[in-house]
Amino acid sequence: MFNARATHPTRRGMLAAGGALGLGAVLAACGDEDAGSGGSSGATAAAKSGSWSFKDDRGETAKADRIPANIVAFVGVAAALHDYGIDVKGVFGPTRTKDGKADVQAGDLDIGKVTVLGNEWGQFNIEKYAALAPDALLTTLFDDAGTLWYVPEESSKKILAVGAPSVGISVYDRQLTEPLQRMLELAESLGADVKAEKVTTAKRRFEDAAARLRAAAKANPDIKVLAGSAAQDIFYVSGSNLSIDLEYYKALGVNLVEPPASTLKASGGWFENLSWENVDKYDADIIMMDNRSSAIQPDDITEATWKKLPAVKAGQVIARDPEPILSYDKCVPLLENLAEAIEKAKKVS
């Protein structure tokens, strides 16, 4: 549920609902986000020697004289790399919840061992970033313009001027399997053992889960699945043509509720805005709800129109990860949970 670069204000609103040489030039930076107590060791990468290069999904090749050890990454990328044994020094993006616990997008990261440069949209403490002496800046791409996700555009030149090569993995308008493979390739370039039993087992489990979801969808073709996200005044219904998870589910045969292209236009094709009064516009047997901390969670929705929805009354509401952590291990439950929901669903629409 994101927009292209040209519709940043809408996307931002949805997210709110749902070396010393370079340091002097960046002190007038954004954000004062608290840092964690130090950083992780990056031992896996640091133990390697030799030059490093990686061609990212912008077509740009990041290069360094050695494999990066002081890595700074968007929290979801850091979580994926952690699953492959690669540590990072700093993160940005939703890392801590209001009660100080790890955000869902942090996965299995120990958030007390990384420096948090910014926890919300628009936050990125450049002074702390430069102090980490970063040798790689890693994030995702949610448009075809190469915009680095959660790197504030108004300060991106200062951030990149620190000197760390940047890498963007695209999660825009493609199926989940492609960025999963690209993240594995990035991890391998950073020193991960991609042939380790843990990794190969997770990939087999992912393939098995995909087969299960395909079979569930084929056996229950009439079960309609709607992807939604809740904000104070708006209920967002996702289209399936840009999101990596929804595109993949559709390819596996899941019967996704698809708003007309005309209603998705205002968001660049990502979602349709509905008032809570019109939340029943689309029939659905299963509702997948945005599980990010930027969105209101189902148990906290008080709108009477929501509670009257057949899928809600039937208890057929499950969580959705609109920004999946791109490791096979973390994506297995996404497929399994949806498959189970479809297998057990009653036709209520």
Side-chain angles (χ1 to χ4, degrees), residues 33-36 38-40 70-82 86-96 103 105-107 109-120 123-126 128-129 132 134 136-139 149-151:
E33 184 65 22
D34 291 339
S40 48
N70 296 339
I71 299 169
V72 173
F74 172 69
V75 62
V77 173
L81 292 177
H82 175 81
I86 303 298
D87 294 326
V88 306
K89 288 288 184 71
V91 297
F92 53 95
T95 305
R96 302 190 193 99
D103 190 276
Q105 291 186 252
L109 282 177
D110 184 342
I111 62 172
K113 292 184 178 180
V114 292
T115 298
V116 181
L117 302 174
N119 199 60
E120 298 178 5
Q123 292 181 347
F124 193 111
N125 191 308
I126 306 177
K128 290 178 181 178
Y129 172 64
L132 290 173
L137 175 66
L138 316 177
T139 187
W149 185 237
Y150 261 84
V151 175

Side-chain angles (χ1 to χ4, degrees), residues 125 158 179 226 236 277 288 302 329 343 348:
N125 191 308
K158 291 182 178 180
L226 181 147
Y236 301 91
E277 290 76 12
M288 303 174 64
T302 59
D329 181 70
E343 291 163 355
V348 295

